[in-house]
Amino acid sequence: MRRRDFIKTSLLSSIAINYGNPLFADDLQPKKGKRISILHTNDMHSRIESFPDDGSRWANQGGMIRLASLVSEIRSEEENLLLLDAGDVFQGTPYFNFYGGKLEFKLMSQMGYDASTIGNHEFDNGLKGLFDQMPHASFPHICSNYDFSKTLMAGATIPYKIFKKSSLRIGVFGLGIELQGLVGKKNYENTQYLDPIGVAQEMVQELKSKKSDLIICLSHLGYSYRGNKIDDIKLAAAVSEIDLIIGGHTHTFLDEPTQIKNTEGHTTIIHQVGTGALRLGKVDFEFNKENKINFANAKSLPIY
Amino acid sequence: MIRNKIFKIWICPAILFLLTSCAPSLFKTGEGQFLLVGSDIPVDLAAQNFIHPYKENLEKEMNAVIGETTEAILKTGNGESALGNLVADFQKEFAEKELGYPIDISIINNGGIRNTLPKGDITLGNIYELSPFDNYLQILELNENDVLSLAEFAASRKILGISGMKITSQGEKILELKINGKDLIPDKKYLLAVNDYLANGGDGMGFLVEIPRKTETDYLLRDILIEIIKSKTEAGQKIEAKIEGRQKFD
């Protein structure tokens, strides 16, 4: 059965402009469905302030303290909203080198982030370096395929969470990248990396059985690689029923999300918004009475 | 293409659907939320106030002195520069110390070195300015031909700082090539210390992309420089470098 159908943002916009006259709008108001807006970031890399004013490409753009204004602006407009991050919050400016991630987590808490996941750079100061910062995050770190049970991070992350917004249930799980060869062993110690596809299949099953209306994966696997290395594209093709993959790691600036239709006919949206809080991703889902997705609409908002 | 397929199949139902169910919220989305945020967007005041004391303290830290030069160390030169030599040497020294095996060659792209070192005090801020990019150390396993390609690239492009390899060339032709004082040995593996930007083909070094990696580390070039400078300072040494004729181009 075909449950979810996605159409292109540009199509939506042009139709809205062409046909959005009051006559139609009045007629349609009572049938308006339930709506949730997913805001997302990835690879913010300790970009607390905007990129420095030095004439370079991103001068005066991005940064968490600007992102914060944009988020509050959107909060005032959207009833149902989740703010999510796909990892690599740490490393990239002296703020991380000096304060170890405290400012990043505190600012994200102040912005009202609902969840983040664990990127490879979260290990940059070792497991203890990450563990010590966890109290500064008022939001959960959702990671399903790192087994921290034999480390001091045991119990510090959760494998999934179901967020309830109005009567919608949004299931979120998280996938981290293979650590061996990317992160020094002394930094991840006995963390076990589990196969993302197997874990994702389990997570989808679990979230379905708990009646999730929408399934989101916070992925720090990376958008796309040549060869066999698992990436978001391969994940979407291999694991059915994920509605949205919020990607990271490869710092990919997708001006519009990628849609992958797998062999079972399910379409997954993949979105990733570069680095440095230069953009805020926004994916809107609207549901009808039975909480089936009517359409999804996605856009990245540049933070200039 | 997948997207086109969906587009084609659903264009008619989609229009009908929008007209009968979703147009008001779409209209709002199109009008209200796709606005580009101009450069005049204010930073969030609460967030700015929150970071203020940390920012002030950070600026103080950036002025901390971590070492001392005997002379200004500059980027000027034809391929080889004093600063390029210094950075390539420090990268090699760090890699050998941390990874525990000898490195044959170390290279740095001069374009990745964004500032020079002044005569006298080196502050932490100097190193952040010199190396603002987050480039990571990688070790590549070169064969004899790869080393030759590298030397030819260095001679033709003249954009590298090099440690461990000495090149004399005339035009594009390599006249003499020595790796740590020795001729190239066929079938020997040479370990190259390089940043991930170059290893991934940056600055025209596409030939590095397919070369096997021995290790891809999470050591930032900037941290490498800071650590080596600090260790030399602790050992009572000053920081110096000069052009020594490692790359002689005619």
Side-chain angles (χ1 to χ4, degrees):
Chain A
M1 196 179 79
R2 189 184 196 99
R3 298 188 36 222
R4 301 166 178 80
D5 307 294
F6 305 111
I7 46 181
K8 233 177 131 182
T9 306
S10 56
L11 173 65
L12 295 179
S13 309
S14 65
I15 288 166
I17 290 158
N18 290 341
Y19 295 92
N21 68 47
L23 217 142
F24 279 110
D26 281 349
D27 275 358
L28 305 174
Q29 200 61 41
K31 293 181 188 167
K32 193 181 161 193
K34 257 177 286 179
R35 175 188 165 91
I36 176 120
S37 192
I38 311 297
L39 299 185
H40 62 93
T41 52
N42 57 276
D43 300 275
M44 290 199 284
H45 281 299
S46 305
R47 189 56 55 185
I48 304 285
E49 298 178 277
S50 300
F51 283 81
D53 184 12
D54 58 2
S56 62
R57 177 159 54 138
W58 293 327
N60 299 319
Q61 299 175 36
M64 296 171 79
I65 63 173
R66 274 191 211 279
L67 174 68
S69 322
L70 186 56
V71 168
S72 14
E73 196 183 314
I74 295 171
R75 271 191 203 285
S76 67
E77 292 167 2
E78 292 286 352
E79 197 180 337
N80 286 330
L81 183 152
L82 281 181
L83 177 56
L84 302 171
D85 179 82
D88 274 10
V89 168
F90 286 0
Q91 189 71 267
T93 71
Y95 282 107
F96 176 69
N97 305 95
F98 283 86
Y99 307 116
K102 175 181 171 185
L103 270 72
E104 291 84 330
F105 280 179
K106 286 209 160 208
L107 283 171
M108 286 171 76
S109 303
Q110 288 163 16
M111 277 187 256
Y113 268 83
D114 292 288
S116 183
T117 189
I118 306 286
N120 50 301
H121 283 287
E122 266 66 73
F123 294 90
D124 280 6
N125 286 339
L127 285 177
K128 181 154 187 348
L130 174 58
F131 180 76
D132 287 348
Q133 299 306 326
M134 296 303 268
H136 298 306
S138 65
F139 51 89
H141 279 81
I142 300 178
C143 185
S144 325
N145 72 324
Y146 290 158
D147 177 359
F148 288 115
S149 60
K150 295 194 179 94
T151 74
L152 88 166
M153 279 288 289
T157 63
I158 53 173
Y160 67 87
K161 182 168 175 175
I162 296 174
F163 295 90
K164 297 178 187 93
K165 293 279 170 180
S166 297
S167 61
L168 295 172
R169 296 166 66 83
I170 297 111
V172 180
F173 70 101
L175 294 175
I177 193 167
E178 180 152 31
L179 297 170
Q180 193 188 353
L182 183 64
V183 174
K185 176 77 177 162
K186 66 177 170 29
N187 282 17
Y188 67 88
E189 299 176 43
N190 289 322
T191 306
Q192 301 297 312
Y193 163 83
L194 309 174
D195 169 49
I197 290 186
V199 169
Q201 274 157 347
E202 282 170 35
M203 285 297 125
V204 166
Q205 215 162 20
E206 177 79 12
L207 292 169
K208 285 257 145 208
S209 76
K210 298 199 167 162
K211 299 185 167 41
S212 297
D213 299 304
L214 186 69
I215 295 182
I216 299 176
C217 173
L218 303 178
S219 161
H220 202 77
L221 297 174
Y223 179 67
S224 175
Y225 308 106
R226 268 178 276 173
N228 292 328
K229 188 177 163 80
I230 179 73
D231 57 36
D232 293 338
I233 307 269
K234 294 183 193 106
L235 176 71
V239 180
S240 201
E241 307 283 324
I242 302 172
D243 297 301
L244 172 64
I245 297 174
I246 296 173
H249 187 62
T250 42
H251 298 194
T252 308
F253 286 92
L254 289 177
D255 286 332
E256 62 181 58
T258 304
Q259 301 169 74
I260 299 290
K261 188 174 171 186
N262 71 10
T263 49
E264 292 172 44
H266 182 87
T267 301
T268 299
I269 293 181
I270 303 170
H271 206 3
Q272 191 179 150
V273 288
T275 183
L278 283 159
R279 292 181 183 183
L280 176 66
K282 186 171 189 293
V283 182
D284 301 327
F285 290 92
E286 188 153 324
F287 296 79
N288 65 19
K289 273 184 201 152
E290 292 80 39
N291 286 352
K292 303 297 181 199
I293 298 167
N294 282 350
F295 72 88
N297 179 20
K299 187 80 181 170
S300 16
L301 303 176
I303 301 168
Y304 294 125
Chain B
M1 212 172 103
I2 290 161
R3 184 177 301 149
N4 285 340
K5 201 170 162 194
I6 291 173
F7 199 77
K8 221 182 291 169
I9 293 168
W10 284 94
I11 191 157
C12 293
I15 288 170
L16 281 174
F17 179 72
L18 288 168
L19 290 175
T20 54
S21 168
C22 291
S25 66
L26 281 174
F27 195 69
K28 184 188 159 212
T29 303
E31 292 290 313
Q33 290 171 46
F34 292 176
L35 287 177
L36 301 184
V37 185
S39 57
D40 55 338
I41 186 179
V43 297
D44 184 271
L45 286 180
Q48 194 176 34
N49 289 338
F50 165 70
I51 70 163
H52 181 72
Y54 296 94
K55 184 180 160 81
E56 273 198 331
N57 181 55
L58 188 66
E59 279 162 5
K60 225 180 291 167
E61 298 277 1
M62 281 297 170
N63 291 325
V65 174
I66 59 167
E68 190 184 339
T69 61
T70 52
E71 290 295 332
I73 304 178
L74 304 178
K75 282 175 67 178
T76 44
N78 187 23
E80 181 178 357
S81 70
L83 193 53
N85 286 348
L86 182 90
V87 173
D89 286 348
F90 283 9
Q91 180 173 264
K92 185 167 183 277
E93 184 177 335
F94 179 91
E96 289 179 336
K97 197 169 89 180
E98 282 297 319
L99 303 172
Y101 44 76
I103 301 293
D104 300 294
I105 309 165
S106 168
I107 60 169
I108 177 75
N109 48 321
N110 292 335
I113 305 174
R114 307 301 288 185
N115 212 339
T116 58
L117 290 180
K119 179 178 176 168
D121 289 344
I122 303 172
T123 64
L124 195 59
N126 287 141
I127 304 304
Y128 273 87
E129 284 167 20
L130 188 152
S131 186
F133 305 128
D134 288 340
N135 287 137
Y136 299 94
L137 174 69
Q138 298 198 349
I139 307 298
L140 275 51
E141 261 181 13
L142 277 58
N143 63 29
E144 183 193 6
N145 286 333
D146 298 329
V147 175
L148 207 56
S149 302
L150 177 62
E152 283 165 355
F153 177 89
S156 69
R157 294 286 307 275
K158 306 178 179 64
I159 60 162
L160 297 180
I162 302 177
S163 181
M165 180 165 73
K166 209 171 153 183
I167 309 164
T168 308
S169 77
Q170 190 169 37
E172 305 269 304
K173 193 174 185 307
I174 306 291
L175 299 179
E176 194 182 22
L177 180 59
K178 296 280 185 192
I179 314 300
N180 299 311
K182 293 180 189 139
D183 290 329
L184 266 182
I185 301 165
D187 300 328
K188 174 177 157 57
K189 294 279 177 216
Y190 291 90
L191 293 183
L192 172 72
V194 62
N195 63 57
D196 60 336
Y197 170 74
L198 295 180
N200 292 324
D203 277 1
M205 302 198 77
F207 64 98
L208 295 181
V209 174
E210 299 299 326
I211 291 176
R213 272 64 177 150
K214 184 170 173 70
T215 182
E216 301 178 8
T217 79
D218 255 12
Y219 296 119
L220 282 172
L221 176 61
R222 179 173 55 239
D223 292 341
I224 290 172
L225 298 178
I226 292 167
E227 186 166 326
I228 297 288
I229 291 170
K230 280 183 172 171
S231 71
K232 292 199 183 297
T233 304
E234 273 166 28
Q237 297 170 25
K238 292 191 177 178
I239 306 301
E240 47 193 341
K242 54 182 189 296
I243 294 178
E244 313 171 340
R246 298 179 186 185
Q247 305 178 55
K248 284 192 232 169
F249 306 131
D250 190 15

